[in-house]
């Protein structure tokens, strides 16, 4: 890049008759400008210059006071404060605080009204105003792995107990503890965790440390005098700290020895913990109030020295957003991500759980090994995201919030090579949508089927050994027919559905467009239309005829499978009657297949099982009108600043305000039914007329209570509706997976 800038400066100087020296200076200025921009992020999150670059995780929240003031100045906040129940709660809290003479409350009130208490309030406000951060040291992944190992060890010893057949069903806790103790003694130390709060008045913060010291010392002297001596004041990292230093010698080993199963177990536990140390520290250094836990305080001395997160390459993608009003920054190291979960860990867990189940079923060791070898040989990583370094940032905008997350890990099943054209088949502006494109290949499918066949073959051999001869003979009688059905499904997948769905696109859509005054026969009729949740699934179709053939093959297999089940258990299986669909033409081409529900179910006629197919898309839903809407091409009408027409693997959107508006009629309807304003026909007394229904009724206690509560519920929903929508999309850019999201917030009018 520097070379490109040099060439550009040389060209500029030649065109404008500027000397090469001036051109070089220009390049230097540009480079410095870029460096300043990169440094802006650390100027907003000062902790980036403190936290070590090898931190396992990091999270910072910024501008909390600014965000709070924005909310306090909004009309939504004003409306929230107008709600009678909120006002009542405020009055009750104020009264209890000012008038309650309970000794404990009076003592707390007296403290907070004192100068020291006012200082404490001031420090707490400062600590939560500008920046709060937390990070974990690089040794924290060891402890997460240890927790995972504890589960594995517990399962391992349970299996051993069952295999030895000594009547013991659970693992020996002593064995688990002994094994973990050996792991801890191999070099593990207390994980480093630091929480920091940026403060302005550091002298006031130091005075509060003195107050806390005095208070804690008094409590410890009274209740735990042996621990009180370990509470000390120290100079750490150039600041004043209150520390509580502990070590293995403080453990009551005589009690532990009594509970240990044997001397070897006791020795393992003592060796693991006797030399371990732990330090809790609270103090002020530079511009931060810090709370720390660790084996020592060396990590506090190292803050801001050497490589820090500000220079961490994993955070480099965030630099392009440094000019924004940042409200949060996060980071996850690859090592830490791997400790949280991976394909290998999941595979091991599946294998361990399978082994335990087989031991429980008394499967031979050789058979167990055969199945477990196949499970462990399966390449699960092809189907799961790779654990990787992740960095994220969020910032304020004129519309609410935007956020970016960057991950360097591979996502083998996601395809972000093209725009999601399926977004033109979600109905325009649905309540919720989840659209994606995945990678599907016949090769991967074949590999999966071959693996399943091997596992099934092993399981069948085990079943033959365990089954009674009569049961096995009955199984063999129908086995070939069952396998023939599975082979037909396999052929339908390979020959028809996989090629037909090669496009890889799919979408889940929820909406509340359909309305009715009476969705079910037994529900009292509503005077106003009530919206009903519509669920639809859409998929991209690459070959319409192959898709039709694949669906037809599946229907035939289901029909023949039912016949086989009836042949096996004739008395338990009713006759299966496959109704014929009502086939109609879709607007714009294609067919709609509708299966009406039986009238005796008493469901609104808008609801019917149905599916539709066009040249490029197929859909299934619970309402024909929904399918018609999904298969009609319509550009998305989502109110978002995200560029939905760019190549992407995933797009999600939820209309929060629309959801709230859809809930409101049901709240009113439920209230009217509960208070008797709306009655089922069966409950009307003889001689009642429509005019009688319109006559005002004497208010019941229930009616009066709901009459007070329901309007306040609507006021609260008004406040919630300020969060209009949340949109996100995931795409690949410069070798990284990027998740870009927007939360749109609009104040009340």
């Amino acid at each position: 890049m520097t070379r490109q800038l040099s060439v550009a400066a040389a060209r500029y100087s030649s065109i404008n008759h500027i000397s090469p020296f001036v051109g070089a200076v220009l390049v230097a200025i540009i480079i410095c400008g870029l460096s300043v921009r990169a440094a802006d992020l650390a100027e907003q999150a000062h902790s980036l210059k403190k936290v070590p670059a090898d931190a396992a995780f990091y999270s910072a929240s910024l501008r909390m006071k600014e965000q709070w003031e924005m909310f306090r100045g909004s009309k939504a906040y004003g409306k929230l404060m107008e709600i009678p129940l909120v006002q009542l709660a405020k009055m009750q809290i104020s009264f209890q605080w000012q008038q309650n003479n309970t000794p404990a409350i009076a003592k707390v009130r007296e403290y907070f009204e004192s100068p020291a208490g006012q200082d404490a309030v001031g420090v707490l406000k400062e600590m939560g105003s500008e920046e709060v951060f937390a990070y974990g040291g690089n040794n924290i992944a060891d402890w997460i792995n240890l927790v995972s190992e504890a589960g594995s060890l517990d399962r391992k010893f349970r299996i051993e107990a069952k295999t030895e057949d000594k009547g013991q069903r659970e693992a020996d806790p002593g064995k688990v503890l002994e094994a973990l103790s050996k792991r801890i003694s191999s070099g593990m130390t207390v994980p480093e965790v630091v929480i920091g709060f940026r403060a302005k008045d550091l002298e006031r913060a130091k005075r509060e440390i003195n107050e806390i010291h005095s208070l804690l010392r008094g409590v410890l002297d009274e209740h735990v005098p042996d621990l009180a001596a370990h509470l000390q004041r120290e100079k750490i990292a150039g600041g004043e700290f209150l520390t509580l230093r502990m070590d293995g010698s403080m453990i009551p080993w005589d009690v532990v020895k009594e509970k240990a199963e044997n001397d070897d177990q006791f020795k393992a536990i003592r060796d693991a913990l006797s030399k371990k140390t732990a330090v809790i520290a609270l103090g002020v250094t530079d511009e931060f109030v810090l709370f720390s836990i660790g084996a020592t305080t060396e990590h506090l001395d190292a803050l801001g020295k050497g490589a820090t997160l500000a220079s961490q390459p994993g955070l480099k993608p965030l630099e392009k957003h440094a000019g924004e009003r940042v409200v949060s920054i996060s980071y996850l190291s690859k090592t830490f991500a791997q400790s949280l979960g991976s394909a290998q860990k999941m595979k091991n867990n599946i294998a361990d759980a399978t082994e335990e189940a087989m031991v429980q079923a008394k499967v031979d060791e050789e058979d167990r090994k055969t199945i477990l070898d196949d499970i462990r040989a399966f390449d699960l990583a092809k189907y799961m995201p790779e654990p990787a370094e992740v960095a994220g940032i969020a910032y304020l905008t004129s519309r609410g919030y935007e956020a970016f997350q960057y991950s360097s890990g591979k996502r083998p099943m996601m395809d972000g090579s093209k725009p999601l054209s399926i977004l033109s088949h979600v109905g325009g502006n649905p309540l919720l949508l989840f659209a994606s494109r995945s990678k599907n290949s016949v090769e991967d499918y074949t590999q999966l089927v071959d693996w399943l066949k091997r596992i099934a073959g092993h399981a069948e051999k085990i079943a033959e050994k365990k089954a009674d001869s009569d049961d096995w003979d009955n199984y063999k009688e129908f086995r070939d027919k069952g396998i023939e059905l599975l082979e037909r499904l396999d052929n339908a997948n390979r020959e028809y559905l996989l090629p037909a769905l090669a496009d890889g696109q799919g979408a889940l859509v929820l909406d509340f467009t359909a309305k009715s005054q009476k969705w079910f026969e037994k529900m009292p009729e509503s005077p106003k239309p009530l919206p009903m949740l519509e669920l639809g699934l859409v998929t991209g179709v690459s070959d319409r005829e192959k898709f039709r053939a694949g669906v037809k093959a599946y229907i035939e297999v289901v029909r023949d499978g039912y016949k086989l089940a009836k042949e096996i258990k004739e008395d338990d299986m009713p006759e299966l009657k496959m109704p014929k669909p009502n086939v109609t033409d879709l607007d714009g081409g294609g067919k709609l297949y509708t299966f009406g529900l039986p009238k005796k179910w008493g469901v609104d006629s808008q609801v019917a099982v149905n599916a539709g197919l066009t040249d490029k898309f197929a859909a299934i839903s619970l309402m024909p009108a929904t399918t018609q809407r999904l298969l009609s091409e319509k550009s998305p009408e989502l109110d978002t600043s995200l560029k939905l027409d760019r190549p992407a693997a995933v797009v999600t959107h939820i209309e929060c305000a629309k959801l709230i508006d859809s809930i409101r009629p049901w709240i009113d309807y439920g209230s009217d039914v509960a208070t008797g304003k709306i009655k089922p026909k069966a409950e009307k007394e003889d001689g009642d007329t429509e005019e009688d229904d319109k006559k005002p009724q004497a208010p019941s206690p229930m009616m009066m209570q709901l009459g007070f509560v329901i309007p306040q519920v609507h006021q609260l929903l008004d406040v919630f509706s300020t969060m209009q929508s949340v949109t996100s999309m995931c795409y690949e850019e410069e070798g990284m997976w990027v998740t870009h999201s927007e939360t749109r917030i609009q104040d009340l009018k």
Side-chain angles (χ1 to χ4, degrees):
M1 182 175 180
T2 304
R3 183 184 177 190
Q4 293 171 335
L5 291 170
S6 300
V7 172
R11 289 178 178 173
Y12 183 83
S13 65
S14 65
I15 293 172
N16 295 278
H17 307 289
I18 298 176
S19 70
F21 173 75
V22 175
V25 171
L26 178 62
V27 171
I29 291 173
I30 293 173
I31 293 173
C32 288
L34 291 173
S35 299
V36 169
R37 179 174 174 79
D40 285 346
L41 204 57
E43 288 173 7
Q44 293 192 65
H46 296 190
S47 53
L48 285 172
K49 295 181 179 179
K50 297 290 184 183
V51 177
D54 63 351
F57 70 85
Y58 166 83
S59 177
S61 297
L62 310 170
R63 302 177 184 272
M64 289 81 70
K65 181 180 179 181
E66 180 181 342
Q67 294 176 76
W68 171 246
E69 293 299 333
M70 288 170 61
F71 176 57
R72 283 193 62 184
S74 69
K75 294 178 182 178
Y77 179 82
K79 188 151 195 170
L80 180 65
M81 293 299 105
E82 290 174 0
I83 298 175
L85 285 175
V86 174
Q87 293 179 343
L88 184 63
K90 286 180 62 180
M91 291 172 58
Q92 183 67 16
I93 292 171
S94 177
F95 175 80
Q96 290 295 330
W97 178 252
Q98 294 174 7
Q99 304 297 327
N100 194 314
N101 291 319
T102 303
I105 294 178
K107 191 172 182 179
V108 173
R109 182 172 63 240
E110 181 182 350
Y111 170 74
F112 278 111
E113 289 175 351
S114 68
Q118 291 298 307
D119 278 351
V121 172
V123 170
L124 289 173
K125 285 183 176 180
E126 279 192 1
M127 288 167 60
S129 294
E130 299 297 330
E131 178 178 359
V132 177
F133 76 91
Y135 85 88
N138 59 10
N139 63 345
I140 200 167
D142 294 336
W143 287 90
I144 293 178
N145 287 327
L146 185 69
V147 172
S148 179
E149 286 179 31
S152 297
L153 287 169
D154 183 63
R155 187 179 290 115
K156 173 187 174 182
F157 290 130
R158 280 204 309 268
I159 291 172
E160 287 183 0
K162 293 171 184 176
T163 303
E164 292 170 2
D165 198 21
K166 295 179 179 179
Q168 185 177 343
R169 313 305 295 172
E170 297 298 328
D172 182 352
K175 284 187 175 181
V176 176
L177 187 58
E178 183 179 351
L180 293 177
S181 298
K182 291 178 180 178
R183 176 76 174 84
I184 293 171
S185 64
S186 65
M188 293 183 66
T189 58
V190 174
E192 299 162 6
V193 178
V194 177
I195 303 173
F197 310 85
R198 199 200 308 174
K200 293 180 179 178
D201 193 339
L202 299 181
E203 291 303 318
R204 182 169 60 179
K206 290 176 183 177
R207 291 197 298 271
E208 286 310 305
I209 298 295
N210 293 334
E211 287 285 330
I212 293 172
H213 184 193
S214 176
L215 177 64
L216 279 179
R217 188 58 187 255
V219 171
L220 292 177
D221 282 339
E222 182 177 354
H223 299 285
V224 196
D226 291 341
L227 193 59
H230 294 268
L231 187 67
Q232 302 291 335
R233 294 298 297 271
E234 299 183 43
K235 280 276 188 183
I236 302 172
E240 292 286 336
F241 276 80
L242 177 63
T243 62
L244 181 63
R245 294 185 178 271
M246 298 167 284
D247 58 57
S249 66
M250 301 168 67
I251 297 174
W253 291 113
D254 52 341
V255 177
V256 176
K257 188 171 184 178
E258 290 177 3
K259 295 183 177 296
E261 295 288 333
N262 51 61
D263 290 342
D264 290 339
Q265 189 181 105
F266 171 72
K267 185 176 183 301
I269 297 171
R270 186 184 60 189
D271 290 347
L273 301 178
S274 61
K275 296 180 181 179
K276 300 298 178 185
T277 60
V279 185
I280 300 173
L282 175 67
V284 180
T285 179
D286 292 336
E287 57 181 335
F288 288 101
V289 176
L290 298 177
F291 175 79
S292 164
I293 299 174
T296 68
T297 57
E298 292 178 2
H299 59 283
L300 293 176
D301 282 315
L303 289 177
K305 299 175 184 178
T308 64
L309 276 182
S311 60
Q312 167 61 258
L315 290 177
K316 199 167 185 62
L318 307 187
E319 292 175 359
K320 65 185 76 171
H321 311 293
E324 307 292 348
R325 292 186 294 162
V326 178
V327 295
S328 72
I329 298 173
S330 61
Y331 172 76
L332 202 69
S333 73
K334 183 174 182 178
T335 302
F336 187 64
Q338 288 173 331
S339 71
L340 294 175
S342 64
Q344 187 60 48
K345 278 194 171 185
M346 179 173 285
K347 193 159 54 175
N348 290 341
N349 289 337
I350 293 172
D352 290 345
T354 303
E355 183 178 16
E356 185 174 8
M358 289 191 294
V359 169
Q360 182 76 28
K362 298 182 178 180
V363 176
D364 294 342
E365 183 178 357
E366 184 178 347
D367 291 332
R368 295 203 308 267
K369 183 179 183 303
T370 302
I371 288 183
L372 293 175
D373 286 346
D374 268 334
I375 290 176
R376 294 189 174 108
F378 184 68
D379 187 8
L380 191 59
K382 292 179 65 174
Y383 305 93
M384 290 182 62
E386 177 188 25
E389 194 173 44
V390 179
I393 189 169
Y395 52 84
L396 288 165
T397 70
S398 60
R399 292 167 53 88
Y401 295 89
E402 279 192 57
F404 285 84
Q405 185 186 84
Y406 299 86
S407 173
S408 58
K410 296 177 181 178
R411 300 184 180 182
M413 295 302 293
M414 294 173 62
D415 183 357
S417 61
K418 294 178 286 187
L420 288 169
S421 59
I422 202 169
L423 292 176
S424 295
H425 291 273
V426 295
N429 184 27
L431 171 71
L432 178 146
L433 74 87
F434 177 88
S436 66
R437 175 182 277 111
S438 58
K439 295 178 181 178
N440 303 310
S441 71
V442 176
E443 292 77 14
D444 287 343
Y445 171 79
T446 300
Q447 191 175 53
L448 176 61
V449 169
D450 290 344
W451 180 80
L452 289 172
K453 285 181 178 178
R454 288 198 304 274
I455 295 294
H458 301 325
E460 192 174 49
K461 289 179 180 178
I462 294 171
E464 184 177 3
K465 294 178 182 179
K466 297 290 182 182
D468 293 334
S469 58
D470 291 343
D471 290 339
W472 188 251
D473 289 339
N474 290 334
Y475 166 75
K476 287 195 297 181
E477 184 181 347
F478 298 102
R479 176 185 181 278
D480 291 341
K481 293 181 180 180
I483 289 178
E484 187 266 336
L485 291 175
L486 292 175
E487 288 175 345
R488 285 166 57 188
L489 285 180
D490 181 36
N491 183 69
N493 290 335
R494 293 174 191 270
E495 299 298 325
Y496 303 124
L497 290 183
L498 282 173
L501 301 176
D503 178 59
Q505 291 189 94
L508 167 69
V509 180
L510 296 179
D511 213 342
F512 268 109
T513 303
K515 293 181 180 180
S516 174
Q517 292 176 271
K518 193 171 185 179
W519 282 103
F520 305 99
E521 183 63 32
K522 293 185 178 180
M523 70 179 283
E525 184 173 348
S526 170
K528 297 179 181 179
L530 299 172
M532 177 55 72
L533 183 67
E534 300 174 68
L535 170 64
L537 296 171
V538 194
T539 183
V541 175
S542 300
D543 190 316
R544 176 177 175 171
E545 293 309 314
K546 285 190 175 182
F547 183 82
R548 287 169 57 90
V551 172
K552 182 181 178 182
Y554 260 72
I555 292 174
E556 291 174 351
V557 168
V558 170
R559 183 185 59 207
D560 293 344
Y562 190 87
K563 288 180 179 178
L564 179 60
K566 184 172 175 58
E567 189 179 341
I568 297 172
K569 290 190 175 182
E570 185 174 357
D571 296 337
D572 299 333
M573 307 289 290
E575 289 292 334
L576 177 65
K577 296 181 180 180
M578 298 282 285
K580 289 186 177 181
N582 178 34
V583 183
T584 56
D585 292 329
L586 289 166
D587 296 340
K591 299 290 184 181
L592 178 66
Y593 305 86
T594 305
F595 299 85
L597 301 181
K599 288 185 178 181
K600 63 181 181 181
W601 289 9
V603 180
D604 189 287
S605 60
Q606 296 179 72
V607 180
V609 177
N610 70 95
L613 178 63
T614 68
D615 288 339
K616 293 185 177 180
F617 293 94
I620 184 170
S621 75
L622 298 179
M623 297 184 189
T626 304
T627 300
Q628 172 74 63
R629 191 167 65 250
L630 295 177
L631 293 179
S632 299
E633 187 168 352
K634 185 177 184 180
S635 298
E637 299 172 349
L638 312 182
D639 189 349
T640 178
S641 63
L642 274 59
K643 297 179 180 179
L644 300 178
D645 57 350
R646 66 158 298 150
V650 178
V651 170
T652 62
H653 178 81
I654 180 169
E655 288 280 341
C656 308
K658 187 175 182 179
L659 174 62
I660 290 172
D661 289 340
S662 301
I663 292 172
R664 289 181 190 271
W666 285 99
I667 293 174
D668 292 336
Y669 174 78
S671 171
D672 289 345
V673 171
T675 57
K677 288 183 180 180
I678 299 177
K679 295 181 180 179
K681 289 183 179 179
E683 291 186 11
K684 291 186 178 181
E685 299 179 2
D686 294 339
D688 282 355
T689 65
E690 291 186 6
E691 293 298 323
D692 293 329
D693 290 340
K694 296 178 181 178
K695 290 180 181 179
Q697 301 178 16
S700 65
M702 171 73 78
M703 193 180 296
M704 294 177 66
Q705 290 176 8
L706 290 177
F708 175 70
V709 171
I710 294 300
Q712 297 182 66
V713 171
H714 282 296
Q715 285 179 289
L716 190 60
L717 291 177
D718 287 340
V719 176
F720 291 158
S721 68
T722 56
M723 190 164 84
Q724 295 282 297
S725 63
V726 180
T727 311
S728 74
M729 63 188 308
C730 184
Y731 53 88
E732 204 169 6
E733 185 177 74
E734 298 178 357
M736 302 191 76
W737 281 100
V738 182
T739 301
H740 181 192
S741 63
E742 179 189 46
T743 301
R744 185 167 63 89
I745 298 174
Q746 182 177 306
D747 198 9
L748 300 176
K749 297 180 180 179

